[in-house]
Amino acid sequence: MPFALVYKLLYASRLADYGLASQALHYCEAIGAAVLSQGESSHPVLLVELIKLAERLKLSDPLVLERSSGNRDLELDWLVRLRRQLQQKVAGDIGDPHAHSDISGARGTTGTQNDELSISIADTQI
């Protein structure tokens, strides 16, 4: 049920809005697992929004900060895999002459790489 993931992402966003960062991040992780299990069929806008929310939440969750004590790179494995999937999806869409861009805002960081991913894909629907 891919359409339900959008509503789950909205719920995670609401949890974050109410100060429940740890619960929201855990919810994002569950959504991420579902998206990763879908493989290439996941929607790029959903990937971008999930990555943006998780990026925001990982810095405010005390459990994540405690787990990475001393490690300046707060990378969660599932978040790295989501970014990699988005990059692969975008790389495939760039080679497609029928795909156009309109997605921006997800950071394309994987470990030491720290550049903004500015891509867009037109004619996408949620």
Side-chain angles (χ1 to χ4, degrees), residues 11-12 15-16 20-28 57 61:
Y11 182 70
L15 287 172
L20 302 170
S22 182
Q23 291 175 354
L25 186 60
H26 185 70
Y27 218 79
C28 285
L57 292 171
D61 184 7

Side-chain angles (χ1 to χ4, degrees), residues 94-108:
I94 289 174
D96 181 3
H98 300 293
H100 306 304
S101 15
D102 196 16
I103 296 176
S104 63
R107 284 185 28 204

Side-chain angles (χ1 to χ4, degrees), residues 5 8 28-39 42 50 82 85:
L5 294 177
K8 290 181 180 195
C28 285
E29 184 175 6
I31 298 166
V35 167
L36 289 168
S37 72
Q38 290 178 352
S42 58
L50 179 59
L82 281 176
Q85 182 173 336

Side-chain angles (χ1 to χ4, degrees), residues 44 48 86-87 89-91 93-94 100-106 108 116-122:
V48 168
L86 178 62
Q87 289 172 344
K89 188 169 213 37
V90 165
D93 288 341
I94 289 174
H100 306 304
S101 15
D102 196 16
I103 296 176
S104 63
E116 288 293 318
L117 179 62
S118 297
I119 302 139
S120 38
I121 300 171

